Amino acid sequence: MNVVKKVAAIHDISGVGRCSLTVIIPVLSAMGVQVCPIPTAVLSAHTGYGEFVMRDLTDFMTPALEHYKKLGTDFDCIYSGFLASEAQIDHCLDFFESYPNAFKVVDPVMGDGGKAYATYTKELCSRMSELVAVADIITPNLTEAAILLGEEYPTAPLRNSEAKSWLVRLAGQGAKIVVITSCPLVDGGISTIGYDKETSSFWKIKNDYVPISYSGSGDMFASVLIGGILNGDSLPIAMNRATSFTELAVKTTYSYGSSWTEGIMFEGQLPWLTSYQELSEFTDL
C-alpha cells in the first residue's frame, strides 16, 4: 500500500475554464492524495465555450499503462472521467483490469441540463455502461443517470421512492456505490443522493440553491468524495464533505459574479479541506 494514496486520473485537461484535471489535481493534493494524470484529451477551453481546440490523446493511454506496469507503479484508485472517443472505453477497461485491487471510480461524464455534451456520440454514451459495470462507485449527475438508465430527463422533482429506484437500478448495472448529484426532490430543493448496495443504505444531503451552474463542479465533488473515502470516511461523511466544499466554492464564485464558463473559484477555499470543517447535515433518503 502506498504511504501517500495514489490515484490514476483518466480525464481531459482544459486550458481555460476550471474543470477536469485542473480541478482534480489541486483538490486531491490538498487532501493528501497523489494524482497521476492520464490525459484523455487536451482542450484549449472546456466544451461549454462552444468553440475550442481539442487534441485526442487516445494513442497515449496504452503506452502510459505499459510504462506504469514496467515501473511497477501501484495505484490505490483508478478514476475515469471525460473521454474523447469510444476507443478510450477499452483503454479505461485495461487500466481497471491491470489494477484489480485498486478502488475503481467512474464519473460517467456525458452531459448536463438534460442534454449530452457535443463531443459525446450515442455510441460513446452507450458504451459508458461497460465502465459502470466494473466500477466500485459511480457519480453521475441527473442527466447522466437518465442516460445510463435509458430514461427521459425528469422535468419534475423526483419522489423519494423514484430516487431510490433510480439508485438501485444504477447499482444493478454493476457499481457497489451510486451517488447522484443535483437531484431535485419533491421535499424541496436540490439534493445529493447516495446508495450503498452492500449495506442497502440510502443517504441524502440537501444543497442550498444557487441560480447558476458552474463548469467543474462535478469534478470537484467527485474528487473530494474520493479523497474522503481514501482517507477513511464513511460514504455519508464523504458525501457530506464533498457537498459542503462544493457548496462553499459555488457560493464564493456566485458572490463575485464570475462567469459560469470560468468555473468555480476554489483556489482560496482549499485550506477548508485541511482545517476544521463544519459539514452539512445528512439524513436517510
Side-chain angles (χ1 to χ4, degrees), residues 188-199:
I190 306 295
S191 295
T192 298
I193 57 176
Y195 172 61
D196 186 331
K197 183 163 59 178
E198 292 186 345
T199 60

Side-chain angles (χ1 to χ4, degrees), residues 4-28:
V4 175
K5 297 297 175 66
K6 188 178 293 184
V7 174
I10 308 174
H11 291 255
D12 71 293
I13 184 164
S14 296
V16 174
R18 304 170 182 88
C19 67
S20 55
L21 286 171
T22 59
V23 170
I24 293 163
I25 293 172
V27 166
L28 278 170

Side-chain angles (χ1 to χ4, degrees), residues 8 10 36-39 57-73 75 91 95 98-99:
I10 308 174
C36 301
I38 296 95
L57 296 180
T58 301
D59 60 358
F60 169 78
M61 297 175 71
T62 291
L65 174 59
E66 293 305 316
H67 188 223
Y68 295 145
K69 290 160 68 174
K70 181 179 179 181
L71 292 174
T73 302
F75 294 108
H91 294 308
F95 267 89
S98 297
Y99 295 94

